[in-house]
């Protein structure tokens, strides 16, 4: 759908409390975020640009949030279907709203359930599993439960996350995720435990010399051997998100 000024005005009139409509600056895609819930950050954009889903392949996103990664992936890949698992009711509603907003109902399917129940919805192994999962171990914070569940292992631990991804993947299927750099060893060892061989990886820094995240591509039952790609700087010295990260150009040397 080409969103004209009148379309945008109509959508803005339908926004709920705390919601805002944003332009993803990619194929006229739009996204609704809610400041009272969890809002996506640059890691979601980088993951969407890094992952690759081939023509006629089926993928699963674990923890879709507002749906931004799958929505961006729809503009960058020619796939058959992405099934998006999201456990939180508030984020389920927002994700479905964003799928409808972008007329992606035939390509993206929201599954409003715990991914650990995947066998109720998936009858055969899939080609790709990807996620921007909860990064941190559970701790005491003042955040609301929606934000806490999105950021901490309240509902899904690293071990359970990688295990269920491995179970869903077919032989040779691909696994993509982002994770905190300080937990990189945990991520890699857990992938190895569940027969996902890391084949590509790169780190990001925040423009001030701090390494923040690791992004990985793994293969189910893959052979040993990993390609370590160049560091990716995500922000300038003022902390502003680099505009070129919104395209795939920054990853041309990472293929």
């Amino acid at each position: 759908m080409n969103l004209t000024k009148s379309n945008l005005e109509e959508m803005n009139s339908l926004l709920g409390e705390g919601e805002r409509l944003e332009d993803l600056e990619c194929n006229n895609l739009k996204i609704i975020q809610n400041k009272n819930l969890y809002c996506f950050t640059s890691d979601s954009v980088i993951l969407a640009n890094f992952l690759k889903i081939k023509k006629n392949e089926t993928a699963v996103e674990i923890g879709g949030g507002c749906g931004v990664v799958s929505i961006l992936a729809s503009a960058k890949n020619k796939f058959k279907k992405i099934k998006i698992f999201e456990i939180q009711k508030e984020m389920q509603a927002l994700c479905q709203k964003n799928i409808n907003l972008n007329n992606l109902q035939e390509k993206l399917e929201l599954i409003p359930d715990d991914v650990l129940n995947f066998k109720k919805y998936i009858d055969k192994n899939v080609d790709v599993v990807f996620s921007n999962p909860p990064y941190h171990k559970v701790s005491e914070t003042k955040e609301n439960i929606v934000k806490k569940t999105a950021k901490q292992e309240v509902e899904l631990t690293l071990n359970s996350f990688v295990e269920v991804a491995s179970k869903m993947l077919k032989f040779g299927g691909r696994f993509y995720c982002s994770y905190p750099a300080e937990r990189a060893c945990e991520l890699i060892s857990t992938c190895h435990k569940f027969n996902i061989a890391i084949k590509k990886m790169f780190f990001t820094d925040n423009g001030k010399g701090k390494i923040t995240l690791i992004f990985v591509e793994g293969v189910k039952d893959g052979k040993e051997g990993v390609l370590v790609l160049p560091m990716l700087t995500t922000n300038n010295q003022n902390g502003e998100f680099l505009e070129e990260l919104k395209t795939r150009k920054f990853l041309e040397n990472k293929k």
Side-chain angles (χ1 to χ4, degrees):
M1 174 176 65
N2 292 319
L3 292 178
T4 64
K5 183 178 180 180
S6 61
N7 293 144
L8 288 173
E9 289 175 349
E10 181 182 357
M11 273 305 307
N12 279 318
S13 70
L14 298 175
L15 295 177
E17 182 180 353
E19 292 184 346
R20 63 180 186 267
L21 179 65
E22 298 182 1
D23 189 345
L24 287 173
E25 299 182 27
C26 177
N27 286 27
N28 203 40
L29 295 171
K30 310 296 178 184
I31 198 81
I32 296 172
Q33 296 202 83
N34 189 323
K35 66 180 181 180
N36 299 322
L37 305 178
Y38 179 76
C39 294
F40 75 88
T41 54
S42 62
D43 46 355
S44 295
V45 179
I46 295 169
L47 180 63
N49 281 304
F50 182 48
L51 72 91
K52 185 175 182 180
I53 313 172
K54 300 175 184 177
K55 185 177 180 180
N56 296 323
E57 287 189 331
T58 298
V60 166
E61 180 179 10
I62 299 176
C66 68
V68 63
V69 179
S70 287
I71 288 170
L72 282 171
S74 72
K76 302 169 186 295
N77 300 270
K78 294 182 179 180
F79 52 82
K80 183 177 180 181
K81 175 83 73 175
I82 294 178
K83 297 191 176 188
I84 306 170
F85 283 87
E86 174 54 51
I87 195 171
Q88 299 199 79
K89 293 186 183 302
E90 297 88 347
M91 299 310 294
Q92 291 167 2
L94 189 55
C95 184
Q96 189 63 60
K97 183 182 286 190
N98 283 319
I99 291 171
N100 297 344
L101 171 65
N102 291 286
N103 285 339
L104 290 170
Q105 296 93 327
E106 292 186 5
K107 303 290 287 185
L108 307 182
E109 178 187 354
L110 173 66
I111 300 179
D113 199 354
D114 189 333
V115 70
L116 299 181
N117 299 323
F118 76 92
K119 289 184 179 179
K120 295 196 297 185
Y121 310 95
I122 298 173
D123 56 8
K124 63 179 181 179
N125 296 94
V126 300
D127 303 286
V128 175
V129 173
F130 62 93
S131 182
N132 184 13
Y135 281 170
H136 306 293
K137 295 181 179 180
V138 177
S139 63
E140 292 296 326
T141 65
K142 296 181 180 180
E143 295 177 313
N144 64 50
I145 190 61
V146 175
K147 292 182 179 180
K148 186 171 183 177
T149 301
K151 296 165 68 175
Q152 300 184 18
E153 296 177 339
V154 175
E155 297 286 350
L156 191 67
T157 64
L158 173 60
N159 194 80
S160 295
F161 159 57
V162 178
E163 181 180 18
V164 74
S166 180
K167 287 179 178 178
M168 286 191 287
L169 283 170
K170 70 178 185 180
F171 177 84
R174 300 182 305 285
F175 169 78
Y176 298 88
C177 85
S178 54
Y179 220 62
E182 64 266 25
R183 299 189 68 186
C185 288
E186 291 178 72
L187 174 63
I188 294 169
S189 63
T190 305
C191 286
H192 180 76
K193 175 182 177 181
F194 293 109
N195 301 315
I196 295 176
I198 303 301
K199 303 302 294 180
K200 293 181 184 179
M201 58 184 285
F202 66 93
F203 291 89
T204 64
D205 78 78
N206 65 354
K208 297 182 180 180
K210 181 180 179 180
I211 299 173
T212 53
L213 296 172
I214 182 174
F215 289 79
V216 301
E217 177 190 286
V219 173
K220 173 72 175 293
D221 296 314
K223 296 180 181 180
E224 293 182 352
V226 58
L227 176 62
V228 180
L229 302 164
M231 183 84 71
L232 176 68
T233 299
T234 59
N235 302 76
N236 61 26
Q237 288 293 318
N238 297 322
E240 298 167 332
F241 181 48
L242 297 179
E243 287 295 310
E244 55 264 36
L245 298 190
K246 294 179 181 178
T247 72
R248 222 175 186 154
K249 293 180 180 179
F250 76 97
L251 284 170
E252 287 179 353
N253 65 335
K254 299 184 183 300
K255 297 299 180 183

